[in-house]
Amino acid sequence: MILPPIGSSGQSSSLPDSNGNSTNEIRPIKRTARKEFEPLERENISNPSPVRFASGRTEQAECDTAVGAAGETSISYRRVTPQEFDFASAPRYRKTAGLDKSNVEFSGARQEVITMIAGIEETRNIAEPGDAIITGPKGERYVHTPERFSKMYEQDPNDPNRYRAKNVIRAIQLSESVELVAPWGEIQRALPGGRIAQSETDETDVYLIEREAFEMTYGPDSSRPEPG
């Protein structure tokens, strides 16, 4: 058997026609083109879209994120009140580290103080002259009146450059995104894993603590046994 020559555009074969005579006919060969797989274009995730907040929400909302028409992420927060939580049975915590005096600024004039953590606005407040502005380990900034600051901190007798915490709190871990009006009038927001805390020295002193800030600065309080 003689194989027909292969052309660049097809295969030549000797085929009989209807009268039995041989004819040369070019029949194209179906070839499956080999397509190289090109890498998929990846969205630029190094600069995510800014987070927009739905503040003032009073209805029940699931803790989730939604993508809007512009591709921006929004977080729904449920407005909560201290009365919703059972602090009496919550575990006690105390700050495990003192407060360096370099992280405390006493405001000399009225100013706005904003806390941004990972691009998310956590707190916004106004510091009056004499108020203490505290910067935490993640850059979070809190404002305390002089009375509140003296209630929560005292001079560390072992280090003149530091304050030590006086306050013991009871804290409950959050399972949803919530916002709370703190006793000093500030609207706070926290994501799941954060804590809602109540001071043991003042039951009206209820506020939110961001998850990583809580884990970095608080530990179980063993100074007093739990009532049993």
Side-chain angles (χ1 to χ4, degrees), residues 83-214:
Q83 291 72 27
E84 298 179 37
F85 299 87
D86 179 17
F87 292 105
S89 59
R92 288 192 183 99
Y93 297 92
R94 182 189 292 269
K95 284 195 172 181
T96 56
L99 182 62
D100 196 284
K101 287 188 175 181
S102 64
N103 292 329
V104 181
E105 169 195 351
F106 291 95
S107 182
R110 194 172 194 267
Q111 58 179 300
E112 187 176 50
V113 178
I114 302 173
T115 292
M116 300 291 294
I117 298 180
I120 298 176
E121 181 181 312
E122 296 286 339
T123 62
R124 180 185 294 263
N125 201 7
I126 299 295
E128 301 291 348
D131 285 352
I133 303 173
I134 302 171
T135 301
K138 289 191 62 185
E140 68 274 20
R141 305 180 75 204
Y142 303 103
V143 177
H144 295 326
T145 64
E147 295 77 18
R148 176 178 168 80
F149 182 80
S150 62
K151 182 187 295 184
M152 296 184 65
Y153 295 96
E154 62 185 1
Q155 173 67 53
D156 189 334
N158 301 315
D159 189 344
N161 296 315
R162 295 179 69 81
Y163 298 104
R164 69 178 182 183
K166 297 166 60 177
N167 189 34
V168 174
I169 64 171
R170 289 184 179 269
I172 299 171
Q173 185 170 347
L174 299 168
S175 60
E176 59 181 329
S177 299
V178 304
E179 64 179 16
L180 170 77
V181 179
W184 53 93
E186 175 185 359
I187 295 179
Q188 293 185 305
R189 299 183 180 95
L191 300 175
R195 301 297 199 282
I196 182 168
Q198 181 189 62
S199 169
E200 283 208 330
T201 58
D202 183 358
E203 292 186 353
T204 65
D205 190 10
V206 178
Y207 49 94
L208 300 178
I209 307 174
E210 190 265 344
R211 179 183 63 82
E212 291 188 17
F214 179 85

Side-chain angles (χ1 to χ4, degrees), residues 48-54 64-76 120:
S49 299
V51 174
R52 289 187 177 179
F53 301 97
D64 61 1
T65 58
V67 178
E72 296 179 347
T73 303
S74 62
I75 302 175
S76 295
I120 298 176

